[in-house]
Every structure is written in structure tokens, then in C-alpha cells.
Amino acid sequence: MRHFLTLRDFTKEEILEIIDLAVIIKKEIKANVFKKYMPNKTLGMIFEKSSTRTRVSFEVGIYQLGGIGLFLSSNDIQLGRGEPIKDTSRVISRMVDMIMIRNDSQKELEEFASYSKVPIINGLTNKFHPVQLMADYLTIVEHNKTENLKVAYVGDGNNMTHSWLMLASKLGFDLSIATPIGYEVDQDILASALEFAKKSGSKIIVTNDPKRAVDGATVVTTDTWVSMGQEDEKETRIKDFNGFIVDKKLMSLASKDAMFLHCLPAYRDYEVSEEIFEEHSETIFSEAENRLHAQKAIMVWLDSKRDC
Ligand code: CP
Ligand code: NVA
């Protein structure tokens, strides 16, 4: 049995196998072919934090695969009143076939997984957002941008940045990250990425200079400056991130026809200008839609590993 907790646990071949599956599953649904890859299977979806995309895409996804999803807000289940993670895991995993969790702590997610009888999927923690990255890479594949791929990430050194580090270093593409001073990526995650990059050939640059990161990039991406749970730091962060907006001037340093990606929700005129957002909105909303297709592939892949 496999879990989907971080791309750190996946090989290049496995990541690409899931992406290939996502391409097939997307084609099928677009042709109105509802192949029931997971008939009568149940997906528990535990949310400790807000969500639009993750919730809708997982719930619709499992339904399209022939199964059903259960939305479990941590406020409504006993977990929110202090029932231990290991007990919650041992109960729910005896009743459902797969569990997706969005919570704060990656460590607690791992604890949940270690007690589970069924595959666990990370729907975002403070450290990683791997399902988002699968949708992002699917979008890159669909736009034929995989050759000489050079991604520039401008913004906070957060769960999205860490996930980009894992994806780039596993697949072997180049990644430049620009964060303000004091908002750098987790050094242990960076060290792992640099280790994987030795094998894959990925060139990873971390800098405090957005211009250096974006120079020649074929894909530019960013994320909110204020992640969920950091609302109290909003004012300070907005000051500290001055100069890190992805706007026309910064985008002009990227390669011609560079793509712009955003995991959403986007805060216009903070991390991205309204102009750049709208110019790239078609790609951004395809990226959002790809959450559905990529996650269906993740669920089918995990289910297949469970059966064999
Ligand atoms: N990108 C993303 O995970 O969106 P939600 O927070 O709406 O799920
Ligand atoms: N970094 C953001 C991503 C939202 C999808 C957060 O954790 O809130």
C-alpha cells in the first residue's frame, strides 16, 4: 500500500506514470466516458482548513470514478475536540477505502498515515501541497513546455515552494526560487532536493532577487504571501514582500511566451498584478481544472497499488 504524502516518496517514473494516467482520464471524461475505475469505493475527506478547489475536485473526482466522498470538517468530527489522531485514523480507515487530509502539520499527517489501513493523500499541509503540483505539471505537459523547462518561483518559501523543489529535483528540470530575506525555504527540504538533483540533473537556484530567478524562465509561478494560518502576520508580510509582485516588468525578463501559473486563490496586486493574472487566466483556470483530473489519477494509482 502506498500513501501520497509528499513527492519526496515518489520516483520520477512513478510521477510520470500518474501524469500519463491523468492525461488518459481527462481525455475520457472530455469524451463523456465515465469509466468506473473505483466502483463503490469511499473517500473520506478531512478538512482542518478552508478549501474551494481541493474539496470540489476530490468530491467530484471520486464520484466520477464510481465512488463517493464524505466531507469531514475537523470541527464536526471528534478530532476537533481532541480525539487522538491515531484513534481517528484507526476508526475511519476501517470504514473507507481512501482518505484525503488537509491539516496544518505534516508530522501529524504522517502519524495519521502510519496508523491507517488505507492510502492517505495530502490535501495540503504547512510543508507540502503535492496534489497541486501534479495538476501544475499536467498543465505544463498540456502546454508542451516540458522541453528545457525552467521554472521560476517568486514569493514565500512555503508549502508550494517546497513542493516545487520536490517536483523539479525528482523530474530533473531547472528551478529558481526568489524569496524575500527571512522567508527562505526550509533548509532540510532544500538539502533533500539538492541531493535528488544530483541524480536527476536539475539545476536549483535560491536567491533573494526576483529578477535573477525569472531571467529566461519558461514558467513563472507564485503563491499568496499570507498562507492559511498566517493571517496575523499579514501587515508585516505585505511590507516584507515589497518588490516581489509578478507584474509586466518582471514577466518581461522571462523567456518569450513564458507561462504563468498560480495555484489559487490569488490576491491581485499583491503577489501578482491584475494585468498578468488576466493575461494568463486561461492557463490558470486550466491549472485549477487539472486538480480534478490529476487527483483522479492519483486515487486510481493508489487504489491499484493497494490491490496488487
Ligand atoms: N489551490 C488550492 O489548494 O485551493 P483550495 O485552497 O481552494 O483548495
Ligand atoms: N500556501 C497557501 C496555498 C493555498 C492553496 C496556503 O497554505 O494557504
Side-chain angles (χ1 to χ4, degrees):
M1 181 178 82
R2 296 286 297 274
H3 300 297
F4 197 86
L5 306 181
T6 157
L7 294 174
R8 196 201 289 256
D9 305 334
F10 285 77
T11 63
K12 174 178 179 171
E13 291 69 30
E14 287 170 338
I15 294 168
L16 295 179
E17 195 186 333
I18 297 171
I19 294 290
D20 287 347
L21 187 56
V23 171
I24 295 168
I25 289 179
K26 182 169 180 177
K27 267 199 198 118
E28 286 168 352
I29 206 78
K30 293 286 175 193
N32 253 325
V33 176
F34 284 76
K35 253 200 194 166
K36 294 198 185 311
Y37 289 92
M38 292 175 66
N40 306 321
K41 296 273 169 106
T42 45
L43 174 74
M45 305 185 300
I46 302 176
F47 281 91
E48 269 183 19
K49 293 178 170 186
S50 310
S51 168
T52 299
R53 281 143 288 268
T54 307
R55 177 175 176 184
V56 176
S57 52
F58 269 108
E59 196 160 337
V60 172
I62 187 70
Y63 174 75
Q64 289 182 346
L65 294 173
I68 191 161
L70 288 90
F71 173 70
L72 304 164
S73 158
S74 64
N75 290 331
D76 300 334
I77 59 174
Q78 299 285 8
L79 183 67
R81 293 183 66 245
E83 182 166 17
I85 289 166
K86 57 184 181 179
D87 293 359
T88 309
S89 174
R90 284 180 286 189
V91 170
I92 299 181
S93 71
R94 279 171 182 254
M95 298 182 184
V96 302
D97 299 294
M98 205 170 279
I99 302 172
M100 183 243 89
I101 310 179
R102 167 167 286 196
N103 70 325
D104 196 42
S105 156
Q106 181 78 19
K107 220 165 150 255
E108 287 180 8
L109 175 78
E110 280 161 16
E111 185 190 346
F112 197 108
S114 72
Y115 283 94
S116 174
K117 283 184 175 296
V118 299
I120 302 296
I121 302 173
N122 180 351
L124 179 146
T125 63
N126 59 346
K127 285 280 189 284
F128 294 110
H129 196 5
V131 290
Q132 177 70 53
L133 266 286
M134 295 301 280
D136 291 5
Y137 196 69
L138 175 60
T139 314
I140 288 170
V141 167
E142 287 176 340
H143 286 76
N144 299 316
K145 291 278 186 188
T146 54
E147 286 294 307
N148 301 318
L149 177 60
K150 185 185 174 219
V151 176
Y153 176 97
V154 178
D156 191 18
N158 64 12
N159 44 12
M160 279 301 296
T161 333
H162 298 151
S163 304
W164 275 109
L165 273 169
M166 286 300 124
L167 188 75
S169 63
K170 289 282 180 162
L171 297 192
F173 62 82
D174 293 348
L175 174 66
S176 301
I177 295 170
T179 62
I181 293 168
Y183 295 92
E184 286 86 0
V185 296
D186 179 297
Q187 293 305 299
D188 288 342
I189 295 173
L190 177 62
S192 302
L194 292 173
E195 206 45 52
F196 296 141
K198 280 186 199 159
K199 184 177 165 212
S200 70
S202 162
K203 190 173 150 210
I204 293 173
I205 294 172
V206 286
T207 172
N208 300 118
D209 178 2
K211 292 195 196 88
R212 182 172 169 225
V214 173
D215 185 30
T218 57
V219 174
V220 178
T221 185
T222 182
D223 182 21
T224 179
W225 295 341
V226 187
S227 284
M228 288 180 273
Q230 297 173 335
E231 290 76 8
D232 291 350
E233 301 168 29
K234 187 174 173 185
E235 264 183 52
T236 318
R237 283 178 165 263
I238 287 170
K239 277 193 215 123
D240 293 346
F241 282 78
N242 187 24
F244 280 75
I245 185 171
V246 179
D247 58 9
K248 212 168 174 80
K249 209 165 142 204
L250 192 63
M251 272 308 274
S252 71
L253 303 175
S255 83
K256 197 174 157 279
D257 301 327
M259 265 175 103
F260 175 76
L261 294 175
H262 195 307
C263 65
L264 303 176
Y267 299 90
R268 313 307 213 274
D269 297 328
Y270 289 99
E271 75 270 11
V272 58
S273 69
E274 171 76 16
E275 188 183 16
I276 289 297
F277 186 92
E278 288 305 329
E279 196 179 302
H280 294 268
S281 59
E282 190 46 47
T283 320
I284 295 167
F285 291 110
S286 300
E287 176 191 2
E289 181 192 326
N290 279 339
R291 294 289 304 276
L292 173 65
H293 311 297
Q295 288 161 194
K296 280 165 72 180
I298 293 167
M299 289 191 277
V300 171
W301 190 89
L302 289 173
D303 195 45
S304 74
K305 297 296 165 201
R306 206 186 158 195
D307 291 339
C308 62

Coordinates of all heavy atoms in Angstrom, one line a residue, residues 124 129 158-159 223-224 227-228 263-265, ligand 2:
L124 N -2.8 19.2 1.4 CA -2.1 20.4 1.8 C -1.8 20.4 3.3 O -2.7 20.1 4.1 CB -2.9 21.7 1.5 CG -2.2 23.1 1.9 CD1 -2.6 24.2 0.9 CD2 -2.6 23.5 3.3
H129 N 2.2 20.7 -0.7 CA 0.9 20.6 -1.4 C 1.1 19.8 -2.7 O 1.0 20.3 -3.8 CB 0.5 22.0 -1.7 CG -1.0 22.1 -2.0 ND1 -1.9 21.1 -2.0 CD2 -1.7 23.2 -2.5 CE1 -3.1 21.5 -2.3 NE2 -3.0 22.8 -2.6
N158 N 7.2 28.5 1.0 CA 6.1 27.8 1.7 C 5.9 26.4 1.2 O 6.7 25.9 0.5 CB 4.9 28.7 1.7 CG 4.4 28.9 0.3 OD1 4.8 28.2 -0.7 ND2 3.4 29.8 0.1
N159 N 4.7 25.9 1.5 CA 4.3 24.6 1.1 C 4.4 24.4 -0.5 O 4.8 23.3 -1.0 CB 2.9 24.2 1.6 CG 1.9 25.3 1.5 OD1 2.1 26.3 0.8 ND2 0.8 25.1 2.2
D223 N 2.6 32.3 -5.3 CA 1.6 31.9 -4.4 C 1.3 33.1 -3.4 O 2.1 34.0 -3.3 CB 2.0 30.6 -3.6 CG 1.0 30.1 -2.7 OD1 -0.2 30.4 -2.9 OD2 1.3 29.3 -1.7
T224 N 0.2 33.0 -2.7 CA -0.1 34.0 -1.7 C 1.1 34.3 -0.8 O 1.8 33.4 -0.4 CB -1.3 33.7 -0.9 OG1 -1.6 34.7 0.0 CG2 -1.1 32.4 -0.1
S227 N -0.2 32.7 3.8 CA -0.9 31.4 3.8 C -1.9 31.2 4.9 O -1.9 32.0 5.9 CB 0.2 30.3 3.9 OG 0.9 30.1 2.6
M228 N -2.7 30.2 4.8 CA -3.7 29.9 5.8 C -3.0 29.7 7.1 O -2.1 28.9 7.2 CB -4.5 28.7 5.4 CG -5.5 28.9 4.3 SD -6.4 27.4 3.8 CE -5.3 26.6 2.7
C263 N -1.5 28.6 -8.1 CA -2.3 27.5 -7.5 C -3.7 28.0 -7.1 O -4.6 27.3 -7.0 CB -1.6 26.9 -6.3 SG -1.4 28.0 -4.9
L264 N -3.9 29.3 -6.8 CA -5.1 30.0 -6.4 C -5.4 29.6 -4.9 O -5.0 28.5 -4.5 CB -6.3 29.7 -7.3 CG -6.1 30.0 -8.8 CD1 -7.3 29.5 -9.5 CD2 -5.9 31.5 -9.0
P265 N -6.1 30.4 -4.2 CA -6.6 31.7 -4.5 C -5.5 32.8 -4.7 O -4.5 32.7 -4.0 CB -7.5 32.1 -3.3 CG -7.0 31.3 -2.2 CD -6.4 30.0 -2.7
Ligands
NVA2 N1 0.4 28.5 0.5 C1 -1.1 28.5 0.5 C2 -1.6 27.6 -0.6 C3 -3.1 27.6 -0.7 C4 -3.6 26.7 -1.7 C5 -1.6 28.1 1.9 O1 -1.1 27.2 2.5 O2 -2.6 28.7 2.3

